[in-house]
Amino acid sequence: MHAWLCENPTGVDALTWKELPTPTPGPGQVLIEIKAASLNFPDLLIVQNKYQIKPPLPFVPGSEYAGVIQAVGEGVTHLKVGQNVACLSGTGGFGTHTLAPAALCMPLPEGFGHVDAAAFIMIYATSWHALMDRAQLKAGETVLVLGAAGGVGTAAIQIAKAAGAKVIAAASTDEKCELCRSIGADATINYSTHTLPNGFRDAIKAATDGKGPDVIYDPVGGDFAEPAFRSIGWRGRYLVVGFASGPIPSLPLNLTLLKGASLVGVFWGDFAKREPKANAQMMAELAQWYGQGKIKPVIDSTMPMAELKAAYAHMGSRGVKGKLVMVN
């Protein structure tokens, strides 16, 4: 097998494409021949030693992937050789093969392709857990999605629309705003033209008839957080999803009091570990929605696995719409 090996987490340039022995699955594991693996923001942080999970060195990055089971370890009874699966295990995806915990594998129904499957679990699980579980989103409410043209942003638009909400999508270019409208957003805000803080706040006010959004989905953080939170509606829920812009913002807590609003943390990874039954139920519902055509990953492009460094550069340029997927 071959894989991108991180022996020194100083950044993407330190990754090397190496031939490694093909491993044998141990108890509770499966060997997967990887057909597709998506690039997520944590995949960048983890090779820079900036992610909250720091795997022992050396490791193969690539948190999310899909492929075909080649071998099963002792005690694995619900999966079989030749079965198509998707997996989000945190590492291992950027190669030709990997060992994965069988418990983390999602069997793929007929017609669920590897590229879509590799781009599915993280963004839809995060967005469903955020909107439907943490925010308790109701039909008729208004959701503002920041970073709306990215992976989790596009998933959030689709889930919110499927739940019967009105969606305002905020993105950085007219092209990205057009993409958001094409997948269901009711209104868009280009924050390159509606600049921070006042232009952005005025645009939110206009799009919500002065009421402010009921739910704000924020995977961006940084300078957007405070003006967005100041714009939230009464009893609003502000979802802290991530900090793609870099800086972790500080918010004046009196704003929660004045708005009767909630700051709500979203950590899907820990939810999946602590509440496995609820997570399994959520994933089954999401797979069903995919089959019904309610949700479908937006794929920016596919690239050969050997071009991983170029894919990281593309993601770093903030030009990606939806998900980048590496294929073998």
Side-chain angles (χ1 to χ4, degrees), residues 52-90:
Q52 56 253 44
I53 296 158
K54 302 193 188 306
L57 299 172
F59 68 92
V60 176
S63 52
E64 184 176 26
Y65 46 89
V68 183
I69 292 178
Q70 298 291 296
V72 299
E74 184 188 337
V76 178
T77 54
H78 68 294
L79 299 171
K80 60 183 189 294
V81 172
Q83 190 168 8
N84 291 302
V85 293
C87 186
L88 197 153
S89 59

PDB file of all heavy atoms in Angstrom, residues 52-90:
ATOM      1  N   GLN A  52      -7.276  19.632  18.126  1.00  0.00           N
ATOM      2  CA  GLN A  52      -7.389  19.206  19.535  1.00  0.00           C
ATOM      3  C   GLN A  52      -6.982  17.747  19.740  1.00  0.00           C
ATOM      4  O   GLN A  52      -6.613  17.347  20.832  1.00  0.00           O
ATOM      5  CB  GLN A  52      -8.817  19.431  20.069  1.00  0.00           C
ATOM      6  CG  GLN A  52      -9.923  18.767  19.289  1.00  0.00           C
ATOM      7  CD  GLN A  52     -10.717  19.775  18.484  1.00  0.00           C
ATOM      8  OE1 GLN A  52     -10.134  20.649  17.857  1.00  0.00           O
ATOM      9  NE2 GLN A  52     -12.031  19.654  18.463  1.00  0.00           N
ATOM     10  N   ILE A  53      -7.036  16.944  18.663  1.00  0.00           N
ATOM     11  CA  ILE A  53      -6.587  15.543  18.741  1.00  0.00           C
ATOM     12  C   ILE A  53      -5.192  15.487  18.114  1.00  0.00           C
ATOM     13  O   ILE A  53      -4.994  15.929  16.984  1.00  0.00           O
ATOM     14  CB  ILE A  53      -7.567  14.621  17.993  1.00  0.00           C
ATOM     15  CG1 ILE A  53      -8.925  14.651  18.684  1.00  0.00           C
ATOM     16  CG2 ILE A  53      -7.041  13.195  17.927  1.00  0.00           C
ATOM     17  CD1 ILE A  53     -10.077  14.247  17.821  1.00  0.00           C
ATOM     18  N   LYS A  54      -4.233  14.959  18.867  1.00  0.00           N
ATOM     19  CA  LYS A  54      -2.853  14.887  18.370  1.00  0.00           C
ATOM     20  C   LYS A  54      -2.434  13.408  18.316  1.00  0.00           C
ATOM     21  O   LYS A  54      -2.030  12.836  19.324  1.00  0.00           O
ATOM     22  CB  LYS A  54      -1.918  15.693  19.263  1.00  0.00           C
ATOM     23  CG  LYS A  54      -2.354  17.166  19.344  1.00  0.00           C
ATOM     24  CD  LYS A  54      -1.323  18.066  19.933  1.00  0.00           C
ATOM     25  CE  LYS A  54      -1.848  19.473  20.178  1.00  0.00           C
ATOM     26  NZ  LYS A  54      -2.446  20.128  19.032  1.00  0.00           N
ATOM     27  N   PRO A  55      -2.558  12.786  17.132  1.00  0.00           N
ATOM     28  CA  PRO A  55      -2.244  11.359  17.033  1.00  0.00           C
ATOM     29  C   PRO A  55      -0.752  11.098  17.215  1.00  0.00           C
ATOM     30  O   PRO A  55       0.071  11.969  16.911  1.00  0.00           O
ATOM     31  CB  PRO A  55      -2.694  10.982  15.614  1.00  0.00           C
ATOM     32  CG  PRO A  55      -2.783  12.261  14.869  1.00  0.00           C
ATOM     33  CD  PRO A  55      -3.019  13.352  15.862  1.00  0.00           C
ATOM     34  N   PRO A  56      -0.392   9.906  17.714  1.00  0.00           N
ATOM     35  CA  PRO A  56       1.028   9.576  17.841  1.00  0.00           C
ATOM     36  C   PRO A  56       1.684   9.540  16.463  1.00  0.00           C
ATOM     37  O   PRO A  56       1.060   9.147  15.479  1.00  0.00           O
ATOM     38  CB  PRO A  56       1.034   8.190  18.499  1.00  0.00           C
ATOM     39  CG  PRO A  56      -0.367   7.682  18.437  1.00  0.00           C
ATOM     40  CD  PRO A  56      -1.262   8.845  18.234  1.00  0.00           C
ATOM     41  N   LEU A  57       2.956   9.964  16.427  1.00  0.00           N
ATOM     42  CA  LEU A  57       3.704  10.005  15.164  1.00  0.00           C
ATOM     43  C   LEU A  57       4.357   8.648  14.891  1.00  0.00           C
ATOM     44  O   LEU A  57       4.726   7.949  15.823  1.00  0.00           O
ATOM     45  CB  LEU A  57       4.776  11.094  15.238  1.00  0.00           C
ATOM     46  CG  LEU A  57       4.266  12.522  15.452  1.00  0.00           C
ATOM     47  CD1 LEU A  57       5.436  13.465  15.712  1.00  0.00           C
ATOM     48  CD2 LEU A  57       3.464  12.999  14.260  1.00  0.00           C
ATOM     49  N   PRO A  58       4.554   8.302  13.609  1.00  0.00           N
ATOM     50  CA  PRO A  58       3.998   8.971  12.430  1.00  0.00           C
ATOM     51  C   PRO A  58       2.537   8.559  12.241  1.00  0.00           C
ATOM     52  O   PRO A  58       2.105   7.533  12.767  1.00  0.00           O
ATOM     53  CB  PRO A  58       4.864   8.427  11.291  1.00  0.00           C
ATOM     54  CG  PRO A  58       5.243   7.057  11.741  1.00  0.00           C
ATOM     55  CD  PRO A  58       5.360   7.123  13.240  1.00  0.00           C
ATOM     56  N   PHE A  59       1.772   9.369  11.486  1.00  0.00           N
ATOM     57  CA  PHE A  59       0.388   9.001  11.190  1.00  0.00           C
ATOM     58  C   PHE A  59       0.055   9.391   9.754  1.00  0.00           C
ATOM     59  O   PHE A  59       0.746  10.196   9.134  1.00  0.00           O
ATOM     60  CB  PHE A  59      -0.593   9.663  12.173  1.00  0.00           C
ATOM     61  CG  PHE A  59      -0.693  11.162  12.040  1.00  0.00           C
ATOM     62  CD1 PHE A  59      -1.648  11.746  11.207  1.00  0.00           C
ATOM     63  CD2 PHE A  59       0.153  12.013  12.749  1.00  0.00           C
ATOM     64  CE1 PHE A  59      -1.755  13.122  11.090  1.00  0.00           C
ATOM     65  CE2 PHE A  59       0.057  13.393  12.637  1.00  0.00           C
ATOM     66  CZ  PHE A  59      -0.899  13.953  11.796  1.00  0.00           C
ATOM     67  N   VAL A  60      -1.018   8.810   9.259  1.00  0.00           N
ATOM     68  CA  VAL A  60      -1.529   9.129   7.926  1.00  0.00           C
ATOM     69  C   VAL A  60      -2.750  10.020   8.122  1.00  0.00           C
ATOM     70  O   VAL A  60      -3.733   9.598   8.736  1.00  0.00           O
ATOM     71  CB  VAL A  60      -1.928   7.846   7.157  1.00  0.00           C
ATOM     72  CG1 VAL A  60      -2.550   8.202   5.805  1.00  0.00           C
ATOM     73  CG2 VAL A  60      -0.711   6.948   6.970  1.00  0.00           C
ATOM     74  N   PRO A  61      -2.719  11.288   7.652  1.00  0.00           N
ATOM     75  CA  PRO A  61      -3.913  12.127   7.800  1.00  0.00           C
ATOM     76  C   PRO A  61      -5.025  11.658   6.870  1.00  0.00           C
ATOM     77  O   PRO A  61      -4.848  10.732   6.074  1.00  0.00           O
ATOM     78  CB  PRO A  61      -3.405  13.515   7.408  1.00  0.00           C
ATOM     79  CG  PRO A  61      -2.256  13.259   6.499  1.00  0.00           C
ATOM     80  CD  PRO A  61      -1.626  11.969   6.950  1.00  0.00           C
ATOM     81  N   GLY A  62      -6.162  12.331   6.975  1.00  0.00           N
ATOM     82  CA  GLY A  62      -7.332  11.956   6.172  1.00  0.00           C
ATOM     83  C   GLY A  62      -8.401  11.390   7.073  1.00  0.00           C
ATOM     84  O   GLY A  62      -8.425  10.196   7.371  1.00  0.00           O
ATOM     85  N   SER A  63      -9.299  12.268   7.537  1.00  0.00           N
ATOM     86  CA  SER A  63     -10.259  11.861   8.575  1.00  0.00           C
ATOM     87  C   SER A  63     -11.440  11.078   8.015  1.00  0.00           C
ATOM     88  O   SER A  63     -12.044  10.288   8.724  1.00  0.00           O
ATOM     89  CB  SER A  63     -10.763  13.103   9.316  1.00  0.00           C
ATOM     90  OG  SER A  63     -11.244  14.072   8.405  1.00  0.00           O
ATOM     91  N   GLU A  64     -11.743  11.267   6.724  1.00  0.00           N
ATOM     92  CA  GLU A  64     -13.037  10.772   6.210  1.00  0.00           C
ATOM     93  C   GLU A  64     -12.833  10.160   4.836  1.00  0.00           C
ATOM     94  O   GLU A  64     -12.247  10.777   3.942  1.00  0.00           O
ATOM     95  CB  GLU A  64     -13.990  11.965   6.132  1.00  0.00           C
ATOM     96  CG  GLU A  64     -15.383  11.621   5.719  1.00  0.00           C
ATOM     97  CD  GLU A  64     -16.314  12.831   5.760  1.00  0.00           C
ATOM     98  OE1 GLU A  64     -15.841  13.985   5.631  1.00  0.00           O
ATOM     99  OE2 GLU A  64     -17.524  12.612   5.901  1.00  0.00           O
ATOM    100  N   TYR A  65     -13.343   8.954   4.657  1.00  0.00           N
ATOM    101  CA  TYR A  65     -13.054   8.232   3.415  1.00  0.00           C
ATOM    102  C   TYR A  65     -14.132   7.171   3.165  1.00  0.00           C
ATOM    103  O   TYR A  65     -14.956   6.859   4.044  1.00  0.00           O
ATOM    104  CB  TYR A  65     -11.672   7.579   3.491  1.00  0.00           C
ATOM    105  CG  TYR A  65     -11.410   6.842   4.789  1.00  0.00           C
ATOM    106  CD1 TYR A  65     -11.746   5.502   4.947  1.00  0.00           C
ATOM    107  CD2 TYR A  65     -10.854   7.510   5.888  1.00  0.00           C
ATOM    108  CE1 TYR A  65     -11.532   4.842   6.150  1.00  0.00           C
ATOM    109  CE2 TYR A  65     -10.637   6.869   7.095  1.00  0.00           C
ATOM    110  CZ  TYR A  65     -10.978   5.523   7.212  1.00  0.00           C
ATOM    111  OH  TYR A  65     -10.770   4.877   8.402  1.00  0.00           O
ATOM    112  N   ALA A  66     -14.098   6.612   1.962  1.00  0.00           N
ATOM    113  CA  ALA A  66     -15.023   5.541   1.593  1.00  0.00           C
ATOM    114  C   ALA A  66     -14.290   4.551   0.713  1.00  0.00           C
ATOM    115  O   ALA A  66     -13.338   4.914  -0.003  1.00  0.00           O
ATOM    116  CB  ALA A  66     -16.239   6.113   0.859  1.00  0.00           C
ATOM    117  N   GLY A  67     -14.728   3.303   0.772  1.00  0.00           N
ATOM    118  CA  GLY A  67     -14.077   2.291  -0.036  1.00  0.00           C
ATOM    119  C   GLY A  67     -14.708   0.928   0.155  1.00  0.00           C
ATOM    120  O   GLY A  67     -15.872   0.806   0.558  1.00  0.00           O
ATOM    121  N   VAL A  68     -13.898  -0.101  -0.113  1.00  0.00           N
ATOM    122  CA  VAL A  68     -14.388  -1.487  -0.126  1.00  0.00           C
ATOM    123  C   VAL A  68     -13.627  -2.287   0.928  1.00  0.00           C
ATOM    124  O   VAL A  68     -12.386  -2.219   0.995  1.00  0.00           O
ATOM    125  CB  VAL A  68     -14.179  -2.119  -1.517  1.00  0.00           C
ATOM    126  CG1 VAL A  68     -14.765  -3.530  -1.550  1.00  0.00           C
ATOM    127  CG2 VAL A  68     -14.802  -1.255  -2.607  1.00  0.00           C
ATOM    128  N   ILE A  69     -14.345  -3.038   1.730  1.00  0.00           N
ATOM    129  CA  ILE A  69     -13.703  -3.861   2.768  1.00  0.00           C
ATOM    130  C   ILE A  69     -12.938  -5.021   2.114  1.00  0.00           C
ATOM    131  O   ILE A  69     -13.498  -5.781   1.321  1.00  0.00           O
ATOM    132  CB  ILE A  69     -14.745  -4.388   3.768  1.00  0.00           C
ATOM    133  CG1 ILE A  69     -15.320  -3.222   4.581  1.00  0.00           C
ATOM    134  CG2 ILE A  69     -14.129  -5.433   4.703  1.00  0.00           C
ATOM    135  CD1 ILE A  69     -16.389  -3.607   5.570  1.00  0.00           C
ATOM    136  N   GLN A  70     -11.644  -5.124   2.460  1.00  0.00           N
ATOM    137  CA  GLN A  70     -10.777  -6.184   1.928  1.00  0.00           C
ATOM    138  C   GLN A  70     -10.601  -7.346   2.906  1.00  0.00           C
ATOM    139  O   GLN A  70     -10.338  -8.474   2.501  1.00  0.00           O
ATOM    140  CB  GLN A  70      -9.403  -5.606   1.598  1.00  0.00           C
ATOM    141  CG  GLN A  70      -9.419  -4.529   0.538  1.00  0.00           C
ATOM    142  CD  GLN A  70      -9.759  -5.079  -0.835  1.00  0.00           C
ATOM    143  OE1 GLN A  70      -9.023  -5.871  -1.391  1.00  0.00           O
ATOM    144  NE2 GLN A  70     -10.892  -4.667  -1.373  1.00  0.00           N
ATOM    145  N   ALA A  71     -10.693  -7.061   4.205  1.00  0.00           N
ATOM    146  CA  ALA A  71     -10.518  -8.098   5.228  1.00  0.00           C
ATOM    147  C   ALA A  71     -11.183  -7.620   6.507  1.00  0.00           C
ATOM    148  O   ALA A  71     -11.276  -6.416   6.747  1.00  0.00           O
ATOM    149  CB  ALA A  71      -9.034  -8.376   5.473  1.00  0.00           C
ATOM    150  N   VAL A  72     -11.654  -8.574   7.311  1.00  0.00           N
ATOM    151  CA  VAL A  72     -12.279  -8.224   8.603  1.00  0.00           C
ATOM    152  C   VAL A  72     -11.540  -8.925   9.738  1.00  0.00           C
ATOM    153  O   VAL A  72     -11.049 -10.043   9.573  1.00  0.00           O
ATOM    154  CB  VAL A  72     -13.785  -8.593   8.645  1.00  0.00           C
ATOM    155  CG1 VAL A  72     -14.554  -7.843   7.581  1.00  0.00           C
ATOM    156  CG2 VAL A  72     -14.002 -10.090   8.492  1.00  0.00           C
ATOM    157  N   GLY A  73     -11.445  -8.242  10.855  1.00  0.00           N
ATOM    158  CA  GLY A  73     -10.767  -8.799  12.017  1.00  0.00           C
ATOM    159  C   GLY A  73     -11.708  -9.627  12.889  1.00  0.00           C
ATOM    160  O   GLY A  73     -12.922  -9.704  12.654  1.00  0.00           O
ATOM    161  N   GLU A  74     -11.141 -10.218  13.895  1.00  0.00           N
ATOM    162  CA  GLU A  74     -11.874 -11.073  14.828  1.00  0.00           C
ATOM    163  C   GLU A  74     -13.012 -10.295  15.489  1.00  0.00           C
ATOM    164  O   GLU A  74     -12.847  -9.135  15.880  1.00  0.00           O
ATOM    165  CB  GLU A  74     -10.895 -11.583  15.890  1.00  0.00           C
ATOM    166  CG  GLU A  74     -11.485 -12.565  16.887  1.00  0.00           C
ATOM    167  CD  GLU A  74     -10.500 -12.866  18.017  1.00  0.00           C
ATOM    168  OE1 GLU A  74      -9.279 -12.691  17.820  1.00  0.00           O
ATOM    169  OE2 GLU A  74     -10.980 -13.245  19.102  1.00  0.00           O
ATOM    170  N   GLY A  75     -14.173 -10.918  15.571  1.00  0.00           N
ATOM    171  CA  GLY A  75     -15.308 -10.317  16.255  1.00  0.00           C
ATOM    172  C   GLY A  75     -16.159  -9.400  15.397  1.00  0.00           C
ATOM    173  O   GLY A  75     -17.181  -8.894  15.860  1.00  0.00           O
ATOM    174  N   VAL A  76     -15.744  -9.150  14.147  1.00  0.00           N
ATOM    175  CA  VAL A  76     -16.535  -8.279  13.267  1.00  0.00           C
ATOM    176  C   VAL A  76     -17.558  -9.147  12.532  1.00  0.00           C
ATOM    177  O   VAL A  76     -17.199  -9.984  11.700  1.00  0.00           O
ATOM    178  CB  VAL A  76     -15.642  -7.539  12.248  1.00  0.00           C
ATOM    179  CG1 VAL A  76     -16.502  -6.689  11.315  1.00  0.00           C
ATOM    180  CG2 VAL A  76     -14.629  -6.670  12.973  1.00  0.00           C
ATOM    181  N   THR A  77     -18.820  -8.944  12.856  1.00  0.00           N
ATOM    182  CA  THR A  77     -19.869  -9.788  12.269  1.00  0.00           C
ATOM    183  C   THR A  77     -20.855  -8.995  11.404  1.00  0.00           C
ATOM    184  O   THR A  77     -21.549  -9.572  10.577  1.00  0.00           O
ATOM    185  CB  THR A  77     -20.675 -10.499  13.383  1.00  0.00           C
ATOM    186  OG1 THR A  77     -21.167  -9.503  14.304  1.00  0.00           O
ATOM    187  CG2 THR A  77     -19.792 -11.477  14.140  1.00  0.00           C
ATOM    188  N   HIS A  78     -20.911  -7.659  11.577  1.00  0.00           N
ATOM    189  CA  HIS A  78     -21.925  -6.884  10.846  1.00  0.00           C
ATOM    190  C   HIS A  78     -21.416  -6.359   9.510  1.00  0.00           C
ATOM    191  O   HIS A  78     -22.164  -5.753   8.748  1.00  0.00           O
ATOM    192  CB  HIS A  78     -22.425  -5.712  11.708  1.00  0.00           C
ATOM    193  CG  HIS A  78     -21.409  -4.653  11.964  1.00  0.00           C
ATOM    194  ND1 HIS A  78     -20.269  -4.857  12.705  1.00  0.00           N
ATOM    195  CD2 HIS A  78     -21.343  -3.349  11.560  1.00  0.00           C
ATOM    196  CE1 HIS A  78     -19.564  -3.748  12.760  1.00  0.00           C
ATOM    197  NE2 HIS A  78     -20.189  -2.818  12.065  1.00  0.00           N
ATOM    198  N   LEU A  79     -20.126  -6.605   9.215  1.00  0.00           N
ATOM    199  CA  LEU A  79     -19.550  -6.174   7.940  1.00  0.00           C
ATOM    200  C   LEU A  79     -18.876  -7.375   7.280  1.00  0.00           C
ATOM    201  O   LEU A  79     -18.406  -8.286   7.969  1.00  0.00           O
ATOM    202  CB  LEU A  79     -18.505  -5.072   8.170  1.00  0.00           C
ATOM    203  CG  LEU A  79     -18.998  -3.775   8.822  1.00  0.00           C
ATOM    204  CD1 LEU A  79     -17.817  -2.881   9.185  1.00  0.00           C
ATOM    205  CD2 LEU A  79     -19.964  -3.022   7.909  1.00  0.00           C
ATOM    206  N   LYS A  80     -18.790  -7.324   5.931  1.00  0.00           N
ATOM    207  CA  LYS A  80     -18.171  -8.454   5.241  1.00  0.00           C
ATOM    208  C   LYS A  80     -17.265  -7.972   4.110  1.00  0.00           C
ATOM    209  O   LYS A  80     -17.393  -6.832   3.635  1.00  0.00           O
ATOM    210  CB  LYS A  80     -19.234  -9.415   4.705  1.00  0.00           C
ATOM    211  CG  LYS A  80     -20.217  -8.820   3.720  1.00  0.00           C
ATOM    212  CD  LYS A  80     -21.254  -9.873   3.324  1.00  0.00           C
ATOM    213  CE  LYS A  80     -22.132  -9.397   2.169  1.00  0.00           C
ATOM    214  NZ  LYS A  80     -22.988  -8.260   2.531  1.00  0.00           N
ATOM    215  N   VAL A  81     -16.366  -8.852   3.680  1.00  0.00           N
ATOM    216  CA  VAL A  81     -15.449  -8.554   2.579  1.00  0.00           C
ATOM    217  C   VAL A  81     -16.256  -8.217   1.327  1.00  0.00           C
ATOM    218  O   VAL A  81     -17.253  -8.863   1.016  1.00  0.00           O
ATOM    219  CB  VAL A  81     -14.495  -9.740   2.331  1.00  0.00           C
ATOM    220  CG1 VAL A  81     -13.676  -9.529   1.062  1.00  0.00           C
ATOM    221  CG2 VAL A  81     -13.570  -9.936   3.532  1.00  0.00           C
ATOM    222  N   GLY A  82     -15.824  -7.164   0.630  1.00  0.00           N
ATOM    223  CA  GLY A  82     -16.514  -6.749  -0.587  1.00  0.00           C
ATOM    224  C   GLY A  82     -17.583  -5.696  -0.369  1.00  0.00           C
ATOM    225  O   GLY A  82     -18.131  -5.144  -1.332  1.00  0.00           O
ATOM    226  N   GLN A  83     -17.866  -5.371   0.906  1.00  0.00           N
ATOM    227  CA  GLN A  83     -18.923  -4.399   1.216  1.00  0.00           C
ATOM    228  C   GLN A  83     -18.398  -2.973   1.075  1.00  0.00           C
ATOM    229  O   GLN A  83     -17.251  -2.672   1.423  1.00  0.00           O
ATOM    230  CB  GLN A  83     -19.412  -4.633   2.652  1.00  0.00           C
ATOM    231  CG  GLN A  83     -20.671  -3.870   3.027  1.00  0.00           C
ATOM    232  CD  GLN A  83     -21.257  -4.374   4.335  1.00  0.00           C
ATOM    233  OE1 GLN A  83     -20.673  -5.185   5.036  1.00  0.00           O
ATOM    234  NE2 GLN A  83     -22.435  -3.877   4.670  1.00  0.00           N
ATOM    235  N   ASN A  84     -19.248  -2.091   0.554  1.00  0.00           N
ATOM    236  CA  ASN A  84     -18.917  -0.672   0.445  1.00  0.00           C
ATOM    237  C   ASN A  84     -19.256   0.038   1.753  1.00  0.00           C
ATOM    238  O   ASN A  84     -20.375  -0.115   2.258  1.00  0.00           O
ATOM    239  CB  ASN A  84     -19.692  -0.023  -0.701  1.00  0.00           C
ATOM    240  CG  ASN A  84     -19.226  -0.504  -2.056  1.00  0.00           C
ATOM    241  OD1 ASN A  84     -18.051  -0.372  -2.388  1.00  0.00           O
ATOM    242  ND2 ASN A  84     -20.120  -1.081  -2.836  1.00  0.00           N
ATOM    243  N   VAL A  85     -18.309   0.824   2.255  1.00  0.00           N
ATOM    244  CA  VAL A  85     -18.522   1.537   3.521  1.00  0.00           C
ATOM    245  C   VAL A  85     -17.932   2.943   3.440  1.00  0.00           C
ATOM    246  O   VAL A  85     -17.058   3.223   2.617  1.00  0.00           O
ATOM    247  CB  VAL A  85     -17.864   0.801   4.720  1.00  0.00           C
ATOM    248  CG1 VAL A  85     -18.542  -0.532   4.998  1.00  0.00           C
ATOM    249  CG2 VAL A  85     -16.370   0.612   4.492  1.00  0.00           C
ATOM    250  N   ALA A  86     -18.426   3.811   4.305  1.00  0.00           N
ATOM    251  CA  ALA A  86     -17.797   5.107   4.566  1.00  0.00           C
ATOM    252  C   ALA A  86     -17.349   5.100   6.016  1.00  0.00           C
ATOM    253  O   ALA A  86     -17.930   4.406   6.855  1.00  0.00           O
ATOM    254  CB  ALA A  86     -18.776   6.244   4.317  1.00  0.00           C
ATOM    255  N   CYS A  87     -16.317   5.877   6.303  1.00  0.00           N
ATOM    256  CA  CYS A  87     -15.802   5.896   7.668  1.00  0.00           C
ATOM    257  C   CYS A  87     -15.223   7.262   7.985  1.00  0.00           C
ATOM    258  O   CYS A  87     -14.615   7.905   7.125  1.00  0.00           O
ATOM    259  CB  CYS A  87     -14.721   4.824   7.831  1.00  0.00           C
ATOM    260  SG  CYS A  87     -14.137   4.637   9.528  1.00  0.00           S
ATOM    261  N   LEU A  88     -15.426   7.690   9.210  1.00  0.00           N
ATOM    262  CA  LEU A  88     -14.773   8.894   9.714  1.00  0.00           C
ATOM    263  C   LEU A  88     -14.031   8.485  10.979  1.00  0.00           C
ATOM    264  O   LEU A  88     -14.636   8.351  12.036  1.00  0.00           O
ATOM    265  CB  LEU A  88     -15.800   9.990   9.998  1.00  0.00           C
ATOM    266  CG  LEU A  88     -15.201  11.400  10.129  1.00  0.00           C
ATOM    267  CD1 LEU A  88     -16.221  12.452   9.755  1.00  0.00           C
ATOM    268  CD2 LEU A  88     -14.697  11.663  11.536  1.00  0.00           C
ATOM    269  N   SER A  89     -12.737   8.238  10.821  1.00  0.00           N
ATOM    270  CA  SER A  89     -11.950   7.726  11.948  1.00  0.00           C
ATOM    271  C   SER A  89     -10.910   8.726  12.442  1.00  0.00           C
ATOM    272  O   SER A  89     -10.163   8.429  13.371  1.00  0.00           O
ATOM    273  CB  SER A  89     -11.258   6.419  11.552  1.00  0.00           C
ATOM    274  OG  SER A  89     -10.410   6.623  10.443  1.00  0.00           O
ATOM    275  N   GLY A  90     -10.833   9.898  11.796  1.00  0.00           N
ATOM    276  CA  GLY A  90      -9.904  10.932  12.247  1.00  0.00           C
ATOM    277  C   GLY A  90      -8.586  10.945  11.519  1.00  0.00           C
ATOM    278  O   GLY A  90      -8.011  11.994  11.276  1.00  0.00           O
TER     279      GLY A  90
END
